[in-house]
Amino acid sequence: MALGLAGCAANSGGASSSSKSSSESSASSTTTQSTTSSSTHDSQKSSIVSHHQRAVKVTYTNLSDTARLDDEYREEHLYQSVPGTVKQNRIYQWDAQNVSDHQTVYIDKKAVATFKDDDDQNEYDHEDFYRIAFSKHATHHYWVNDDVIDHDLHHDNDIDD
């Protein structure tokens, strides 16, 4: 999926479906993003952080897919919202989620966030995020960076022996 901004390099996520711009989805994104109660449960240990850079644009795509966690998923964060879309974002701890290596996750949304390049303010960087759940009918969803998903295991039917 390529964005039509001058000087932008498209970051292909391998998923194709219709998408809507952040202005079209701003009303619906509030209702589709997961909510968290004010009390923190042991299974949802979290902290609040401020994102250093605000997203210029976010494009959301609805998905209905499964994938597996990458070997190094613990190096990334579990977010309540797409990073750069809110001033303070809740980050959840992997240890509190009771997950294992290569566990299947359920993906219901993809977000492509566009940021101004730190080195060259006339260029843009794109980051892919996925909204995942750890069970098919989970009530709690998390936003994760593209690096959390193992794309090699995600496309196992493409492997030739």
Side-chain angles (χ1 to χ4, degrees):
M1 163 187 328
L3 296 176
L5 296 173
C8 289
N11 184 1
S12 70
S16 64
S17 69
S18 65
S19 62
K20 48 187 171 177
S21 72
S22 60
S23 60
E24 294 172 319
S25 65
S26 62
S28 65
S29 67
T30 305
T31 58
T32 59
Q33 290 185 0
S34 61
T35 58
T36 304
S37 66
S38 58
S39 65
T40 303
H41 303 295
D42 285 343
S43 65
Q44 298 177 346
K45 290 181 183 173
S46 64
S47 60
I48 303 288
V49 296
S50 295
H51 193 269
H52 70 281
Q53 190 176 18
R54 191 86 169 144
V56 175
K57 177 181 176 183
V58 178
T59 304
Y60 294 92
T61 305
N62 290 322
L63 298 175
S64 180
D65 204 357
T66 59
R68 298 222 176 174
L69 294 176
D70 186 74
D71 287 335
E72 299 172 352
Y73 70 92
R74 289 184 180 272
E75 294 177 11
E76 303 297 330
H77 295 290
L78 292 163
Y79 298 98
Q80 179 178 3
S81 302
V82 174
T85 61
V86 294
K87 285 187 179 183
Q88 294 187 341
N89 201 351
R90 186 174 301 268
I91 294 181
Y92 298 92
Q93 303 301 314
W94 285 104
D95 292 340
Q97 305 309 317
N98 194 25
V99 296
S100 60
D101 293 350
H102 299 291
Q103 178 171 329
T104 298
V105 293
Y106 300 84
I107 303 170
D108 70 346
K109 290 195 181 296
K110 177 181 178 180
V112 178
T114 303
F115 299 94
K116 282 214 176 205
D117 189 325
D118 288 334
D119 298 330
D120 184 352
Q121 292 296 313
N122 294 323
E123 291 189 14
Y124 296 89
D125 290 328
H126 306 286
E127 288 188 48
D128 292 348
F129 295 91
Y130 294 94
R131 194 172 88 153
I132 65 168
F134 298 115
S135 67
K136 188 172 182 111
H137 300 291
T139 57
H140 200 87
H141 294 80
Y142 306 91
W143 284 98
V144 296
N145 186 291
D146 180 53
D147 294 336
V148 170
I149 305 299
D150 189 336
H151 294 283
D152 292 334
L153 290 176
H154 182 76
H155 302 289
D156 11 17
N157 60 346
D158 296 340
I159 299 172
D160 292 328
D161 287 43

